[in-house]
Amino acid sequence: MALAIFQFPCLSDNYGVLIHDEASGRTASIDAPDAAAVTAALAQTGWNLTEILTTHHHPDHTDGNLALKEATGCTIVGPSYEAAKIPGIDRELTEGDVYDFAGHPVHVIWTPGHTLGHIAFFLPEDGVAFAGDTMFALGCGRVFEGTLLQMWESLQKLAALPDETVVYCGHEYTESNLRFALTIDPANEALIARGEEIKKLRAAGKPTVPTTIAAEKATSPYLRASDPAVKATMKMVDASAADVFAAIRTAKDNFK
Ligand SMILES: [Zn+2]
């Protein structure tokens, strides 16, 4: 049976997500940015938390772990490479592991860059992925711990998922990402059209997340680093896609 998915904003610009399997009653929180916000989402849905799937150790993804575990007895799973930094972790996952969520296979994809142990979750039978702070709508996470090349390779793993995959991510950064994307890829008609849609959604107070792999491949400057138009704007026509990506990500760090 299809998963039920409930996304809610929390903290200043984070998203929390609950996934629920009706038959078993199991409910997982993708990260736990804030215990109160997750608890409120559980009350609103009437679901009982059974597990937390952690993408990476940053406090705005794990601060709710211990309080939620204490309140619900949930199991906490997360990346083995940074297990020491994940409060309350019970089970460690790494590249290629398949976690069973109530009969829904959850494929673990190691996506280092933003943090060294960061993992994303892909549920092929449900056509959905949870990218944490690796991929955002029109964006990618800041590279704090890994290298720019690692982040490029991590994004390539996600870009290789089926086009129709629905991608949830950790933050609502899309309007800022859009302003930057238009400086890198100003003639991209798909980006321009998506930009209009994004402005409408945000003006109405609506989320721009989730996105899809197809939309990101067509409009995210980070995934279009091999495109001649993007290379031309970056004045890097002969450079590798990985180098162009690195230059774009670095430019974003300094973009106001
Ligand atoms: Zn983070």
Side-chain angles (χ1 to χ4, degrees), residues 58-70:
H58 283 158
D60 62 323
H61 295 257
T62 56
D63 266 357
N65 280 17
L66 293 181
L68 289 167
K69 188 173 187 175
E70 170 133 358

Side-chain angles (χ1 to χ4, degrees), residues 61-106:
H61 295 257
T62 56
D63 266 357
N65 280 17
L66 293 181
L68 289 167
K69 188 173 187 175
E70 170 133 358
T72 66
C74 68
T75 300
I76 299 176
V77 303
S80 63
Y81 292 118
E82 50 196 51
K85 298 178 184 169
I86 311 282
I89 192 167
D90 298 295
R91 178 157 168 208
E92 300 176 17
L93 298 173
T94 190
E95 173 84 352
D97 283 348
V98 181
Y99 178 78
D100 176 61
F101 177 71
H104 302 256
V106 179

Side-chain angles (χ1 to χ4, degrees), residues 1-255:
M1 214 169 98
L3 282 180
I5 300 180
F6 182 78
Q7 175 182 259
F8 52 97
C10 53
L11 302 178
S12 59
D13 51 31
N14 281 73
Y15 280 120
V17 184
L18 299 177
I19 62 174
H20 176 72
D21 175 73
E22 191 65 44
S24 65
R26 277 169 70 177
T27 303
S29 181
I30 310 300
D31 290 326
D34 176 58
V38 175
T39 302
L42 291 164
Q44 196 178 337
T45 53
W47 300 342
N48 293 313
L49 188 67
T50 50
E51 51 235 278
I52 297 171
L53 305 185
T54 306
T55 61
H56 68 296
H57 70 83
H58 283 158
D60 62 323
H61 295 257
T62 56
D63 266 357
N65 280 17
L66 293 181
L68 289 167
K69 188 173 187 175
E70 170 133 358
T72 66
C74 68
T75 300
I76 299 176
V77 303
S80 63
Y81 292 118
E82 50 196 51
K85 298 178 184 169
I86 311 282
I89 192 167
D90 298 295
R91 178 157 168 208
E92 300 176 17
L93 298 173
T94 190
E95 173 84 352
D97 283 348
V98 181
Y99 178 78
D100 176 61
F101 177 71
H104 302 256
V106 179
H107 291 235
V108 176
I109 305 171
W110 183 40
T111 56
H114 179 68
T115 67
L116 275 176
H118 193 295
I119 54 176
F121 302 107
F122 173 49
L123 288 70
E125 293 180 7
D126 301 279
V128 60
F130 299 96
D133 287 358
T134 297
M135 179 185 284
F136 298 126
L138 290 180
C140 75
R142 195 178 273 256
V143 177
F144 286 118
E145 295 179 11
T147 64
L148 288 159
L149 180 60
Q150 277 180 319
M151 184 55 123
W152 168 249
E153 289 171 346
S154 294
L155 287 172
Q156 291 306 297
K157 290 183 186 176
L158 297 179
L161 298 177
D163 273 352
E164 62 277 12
T165 305
V166 173
V167 182
Y168 287 81
C169 41
H171 292 269
E172 177 66 56
Y173 289 154
T174 317
E175 269 190 311
S176 157
N177 288 340
L178 170 65
R179 275 188 282 114
F180 176 72
L182 286 167
T183 69
I184 303 292
D185 202 9
N188 181 342
E189 296 289 345
L191 173 61
I192 293 163
R194 189 177 177 197
E196 294 307 313
E197 192 56 36
I198 287 164
K199 284 181 205 157
K200 276 187 211 151
L201 286 168
R202 293 312 291 157
K206 292 180 179 161
T208 62
V209 174
T211 178
T212 64
I213 292 297
E216 293 312 310
K217 286 202 297 196
T219 56
S220 170
Y222 304 96
L223 298 187
R224 284 173 43 75
S226 62
D227 187 90
V230 169
K231 285 187 171 182
T233 329
M234 296 303 292
K235 300 189 168 55
M236 296 178 76
V237 286
D238 296 322
S240 71
D243 285 346
V244 176
F245 164 79
I248 295 172
R249 181 57 257 185
T250 302
K252 176 66 163 65
D253 291 345
N254 303 308
F255 182 74

